[in-house]
Amino acid sequence: MSKQVPGKFVTFEGVEGGGKSSNIAAVKTFLEAQGKQVVTTREPGGTPLAEEIRTTLLRPRDEPVDEMAELLLVFAARAQHFNTFIKPALAKGTWVLCDRFTDATYAYQGAGRGLSVDTIATLETLVQGDVRPDLTLLFDLDVGLGLERARGRGALDRFEQQEQVFFERIRTLYLQRAHTESYYRLVDASASIETVRADVQTIITQFLSC
Ligand code: TMP
């Protein structure tokens, strides 16, 4: 019997308003046309339990949320999602397209909330072992423009209610990681929808040919 080739793990990152979601759907359609088995999912979330944790994390509340409590909730959701959904799918040879993953934790809980990289890295290894994305598309754009787009969508969640400077720290961290982590590819998300779509397709085509 031939050995199953593991699927690829592709994540989509960036500050709010970068257009990740619509591009994930386009990448799925593109990959399926190439004969790939593909699932899409998101973090926090992706399973019923993890989606409940997402609701808890995103709901605005009067009580101040402790940074460590937030971090542990993010990784609790991730443990459930990773072990019951992502890992089995990859093992079956399915491509997993995930709207945010642990790079978002380095950005939001690390750069945004000020938690240490070492703490996040420890939890990352505890939950995921040595699994990291094969490819991460970073949808980068001016924070003000992204927030304007996101805030035009309606009621703000607990993260979207943060000051602009919080998102500036997050963008800076993502751009730093784009330079240091070889699995990153940068997408200029301030370009037109058509240009962004074409850039994403070029990146995926290049990745497929590797
Ligand atoms: P979304 O609006 O892009 O779906 O993401 C939900 C929010 O969760 C977004 O504001 C970023 C935040 N988040 C974290 O703070 N840490 C994480 O590890 C992840 C995956 C998301």
Side-chain angles (χ1 to χ4, degrees), residues 8 25 36 42 44 51 74 96 100 103 114 121 123 126 149 151 154 172 174 176-177 189 199 209:
K8 296 294 181 189
K36 307 291 182 197
R42 68 175 180 179
E51 287 290 330
V74 164
V96 177
R100 298 193 186 280
D103 288 277
L123 289 168
L126 192 67
R149 285 186 189 168
R151 288 173 178 161
T172 301
Y174 270 134
Q176 281 168 3
R177 284 179 75 80
D199 289 350
S209 67

Side-chain angles (χ1 to χ4, degrees), residues 86-150:
I86 296 176
K87 213 173 157 188
L90 292 172
K92 273 197 308 191
T94 301
W95 284 55
V96 177
L97 309 183
C98 192
D99 189 340
R100 298 193 186 280
F101 195 61
T102 305
D103 288 277
T105 313
Y106 284 103
Y108 283 77
Q109 281 65 50
R113 303 291 193 212
L115 290 172
S116 88
V117 170
D118 288 351
T119 304
I120 297 170
T122 300
L123 289 168
E124 178 181 40
T125 301
L126 192 67
V127 168
Q128 302 155 224
D130 60 3
V131 178
R132 302 289 178 274
D134 295 300
L135 175 69
T136 291
L137 285 89
L138 174 57
F139 289 79
D140 179 62
L141 84 170
D142 175 78
V143 166
L145 176 60
L147 289 177
E148 203 176 293
R149 285 186 189 168

